[in-house]
Every structure is written in structure tokens, then in C-alpha cells.
Amino acid sequence: MATLLATPPEWPRITLGAVGQYDPADGLAGAERAGAWAAWRQALAADPETLVALVRRAGLRGRGGAGYPTADKWRVARAQDDPVRFVVANGIEADPGAFIDRTLMELDPHAIVEGTALAAYAVGAHDAYIAVNAAYGVALERLRAAVVAAEDAGYIGAAAEARGFDVRIEVRPLQGAFVLGEETVLLRALRSDRGMPDQRPPFPAVRGLDGHPTIVNNVETLAAIPWIVRQGPEAFAAAGRGGLAGTKLVQLSGSARQNGVAEVPMGTPLGEILEGVGGGMAAGSVLKALLVGGPAGGFLPESALETPLDPVALAAAGAILGSGQILVVDRRACIVELGRLMERFMSDESCGKCVPCRIGTRRLFELADRATSGRPRPSDPQLLLDLAADVRDGSLCGHGIHAPNPLLSGMRYFKDEYDAHFNAGLCPAGVCQPLHVTTVATATSH
Ligand SMILES: Cc1cc2nc3c(=O)[nH]c(=O)nc-3n(C[C@H](O)[C@H](O)[C@H](O)COP(=O)(O)O)c2cc1C
Ligand code: SF4
């Protein structure tokens, strides 16, 4: 099972609030004692607009990466003149090595099922899907059990009509590439279509599944909603720092003393997360950088440890919040080589639909590859910057838009290291081998 990291006692527990309070492999009774489905009963006693207004007051923003205000998205779907609407919970989490959503789905499946039902009530959807990474066997099993238990109790499913609202929830395993988590790809996958993003607008909230308004929300976003209903929007809004609302699950990996998943107040400085959650650096390790936001994230140096966990501040610093992954990089690592690996991943995972991403990420990888193998050309640094801007500005979806981040942030904060590779064929960290290429002058005959 994934490791949950302890957090300072004064930090609020919202998304993980019921974790450990009931056995997710057990029936409904334990979950209900831990508070499950109380919000559902409470919400049904008022009209859907009340629920939307509540979530708006809470200031909840999507936890799937883009940080879009959840209530605003719901309002768009509600405003559509179409009686058929859908809700899709995004539990794909295709980032390599990520297990934030898996942890949540395994440890509190009822919060996700209840959150999905609440979103469906808010937008008037009678059909919902919880799309789960097919590799997550335990999560699938527990979510399915939670759905069946909620149906048996008459909360959801056909029998729920008597309570005033019925929603059918299907747990659907899906398998695919990194881009499967992108919302338009996810909707295509639910209908067994080819996994390539669609141009937006129209956004799914206007035209999604089968052409109907569809809300796609990350499972962590949805899991927060029952808590907001039970505890009140003000409590959620106050849980963050620096004017940000709520908490975010993050995952520490790499060279921290402790690696795993933890719930932290939004707006917490990165350095505080490393110290307060990760226990600082592992023995013998010295911090060089944090890669924040997964393979399309940015390398931030020690001088950026004050940056808060805030999508806007992270974007300004050259990273992304993404799914909340924080890779702690030790001084012995080479930032250029790590950037090359990230770019390789982004290139391999490009779906190929648009040229800037399909060709551009490959060329970016090749530039990084030349730098790490001692074959850079004098024009490479400028070419990399120009190409990165083209890929970022010309790509169709977030995959290409963010793909240059690891290289751009590396060039921004670790310029000396890039200069050494590009200009002198040297790897200061001693990681890239062989960097010294001897050009043998050969006599040519004319
Ligand atoms: C390449 C790519 C991969 C994505 N993967 C995920 C994912 O695994 N899970 C997720 O919730 N959102 C993912 N997203 C974001 C979704 O498109 C969408 O913004 C999100 O599910 C909306 O939920 P939210 O508003 O609750 O954040 C991805 C986006 C892109 C561009
Ligand atoms: S940006 Fe990349 S992943 Fe997104 S549509 Fe274009 S080729 Fe596909």
C-alpha cells in the first residue's frame, strides 16, 4: 500500500479526513459512521443551485492540474439547454510513478462516489462514470463495492428516485498513454474512440460525452465536496494559506528523508513541505532542485523554496502544480540529463495529432540528447529556446504546452550547468558520459 506521510498536527485533514476512520474493504456501516453520505442527504434537502453556490463560496478549484474553479465549470453545464448531462470522475493518473489518486481511491472510495453523486446532482446528470486507471486493481474493487453499497442503501441507482434524485454511477477501468488523463481523450476513451485530444472550445461542459454537457472533475476535487457540504464552505476556504482555499494531496519522491503522499494546505511554501512532510533531505543527500508537477513540470532551485503551492505562483516560477508530484533531486544528479529524460518521456507520449508537439518534443529531446552526449552545436542553446516557445505556443493540448518546462526551467535556474554541456562539453555533476568527443582531423583529397 502507498505510504501516507504524517503532517504537522495543526494542518487540516480534509481529503484524507476519513482515511483510517473506516475499513474501505468493509460494508457501508463503517463508512457512514465516519460521515459518508451525510452530505448527500443534506444536499438533497436543498436545491442544486444551493450546492453550486456552496462550492463556489468554498473556493474549490480543480485538483487535476488546470485549477479551474469547480462551481464555474458546473454553472456552464447547468446553463446548457440540454436535459442529458454527464459527470466523469477522472481517476486515470497516468503520470509515471504517481500514486496520489490511487491512494485516495483505495483509502476513501466513498468520498469519491459521494462526491461524484453530488456533482451529478449539482449539474442535473443522471449518469456518471468514475474512470479509473486499469492498473489500480484494489481501487477498482473498492470503488465498485462502494457503488454497490450506496445503491443497496438507496442513495444512488434506480431506487434512489424516491429520495428526489437518481444517478447511476459506473466504475470504468481504462488503460492508455499519459494523455488518456486529458479530459477530451478520457471522454473519447469512454466511448472506445481513438485517444487523441479534441480542440477546445467547445469545452466538455458545453459539449462532451455523446455531444452532451459533461463535467470532468479529478477524483481529489470530487472527494473534497462531501466535506465542504458537511463542514461548510468557510472552513474549506480557511484551510489554505495566502488567500488560497483548501488542501492539496502531494507526493514526495526522490531524495527526501521520507517519500509518500500527504495532504498540505494550499499555499504552503515548497520548502516547508520538504521539511514538514518529507523530514528534509535523506541522509547523505543535499538538495539541488525540486521537480514540481511531474514529467511536464519545472526544476526549481533551492532559492525557490519559498514558492507557495499555488498554480499561479508555480507557473510564474516555471513549474506547474499538475497532479501534485514533487521529485526531490539530490546535488549529484545532472539537471540536463534529467531534463533529457523528461523530454524523452513527453516525446514518446505525444499522441502525434499536432505537429508542434509531435515533431517539436522529439527535436527538443534530440537537442538535450546532443548536450548530454558531448555533441552540441553552437546554435543549440538558442534553437532550444526558440523551439520550446513554438512547442508551448502551438500545441493543441496541455501535453505539448507544458512539455518544454523541464528544459526551460533547467536553462533558467541551472544556466551554468547547461552552459558547461553546451559550450565546453562538460558535465559538472559527472553524470553524462562520454562528454569528451575528440574530432580527428582527416586529410581530404580534392
Ligand atoms: C496530458 C494531460 C494529462 C492529464 N492527466 C490527468 C489525470 O491523469 N487526471 C486528472 O484528473 N486530470 C488530468 N489532466 C487534466 C484534465 O484534462 C482535466 O483538466 C481535469 O481532469 C479536470 O478536473 P478538475 O477540474 O477537477 O481539475 C490531464 C491533462 C493533460 C493535458
Ligand atoms: S499537444 Fe501533443 S498530445 Fe496534445 S494533441 Fe498535440 S500531439 Fe497530441
Side-chain angles (χ1 to χ4, degrees), residues 73 77 84-92 116 125 127-132 170 172-218 222:
K73 199 190 272 193
V84 179
R85 293 164 194 173
F86 295 99
V87 166
V88 176
N90 190 341
I92 295 302
T116 304
D127 284 289
Y129 297 87
I130 302 178
V132 182
E170 180 187 336
R172 180 77 73 85
L174 290 173
Q175 199 160 17
F178 180 61
V179 80
L180 173 62
E182 195 277 338
E183 57 186 10
T184 63
V185 178
L186 182 53
L187 299 185
R188 281 172 162 265
L190 282 169
R191 292 294 181 256
S192 305
D193 282 346
R194 189 172 185 179
M196 283 180 161
D198 287 313
Q199 176 81 50
R200 300 172 312 164
F203 289 92
V206 174
R207 200 162 78 219
L209 217 48
D210 306 331
H212 300 292
T214 304
I215 291 301
V216 181
N217 273 139
N218 173 257
L222 293 167

Side-chain angles (χ1 to χ4, degrees), residues 142-153:
R142 291 183 179 176
L143 284 164
R144 282 184 177 131
V147 167
V148 170
E151 282 172 351
D152 290 348

Side-chain angles (χ1 to χ4, degrees), residues 66 177-186 188 195-201 203 296 320 346 349-358 361 388 390-405:
F178 180 61
V179 80
L180 173 62
E182 195 277 338
E183 57 186 10
T184 63
V185 178
L186 182 53
R188 281 172 162 265
M196 283 180 161
D198 287 313
Q199 176 81 50
R200 300 172 312 164
F203 289 92
I320 55 172
M346 295 306 284
E349 295 292 312
S350 167
C351 82
K353 182 168 181 172
C354 63
V355 172
C357 174
R358 184 180 70 235
T361 54
D390 290 342
V391 172
R392 185 194 60 209
D393 298 341
S395 289
L396 180 64
C397 84
H399 183 95
I401 290 168
H402 297 300
N405 285 343

Side-chain angles (χ1 to χ4, degrees), residues 40-41 44 153-156 159-165:
W40 180 240
R41 293 190 297 269
L44 287 191
Y155 290 131
I156 58 172
E161 208 172 340
R163 287 178 186 260
F165 187 77

Side-chain angles (χ1 to χ4, degrees), residues 1 7 30 92 99 124 147 153 160 233 240 259 306 325 329 333-334 340 368 418 432 436 442:
M1 197 186 76
T7 50
I92 295 302
F99 51 80
V147 167
N259 287 330
E306 282 304 308
Q325 285 198 75
V329 179
C334 170
R340 183 188 79 94
Y418 268 84
C432 303
H436 293 286
T442 49

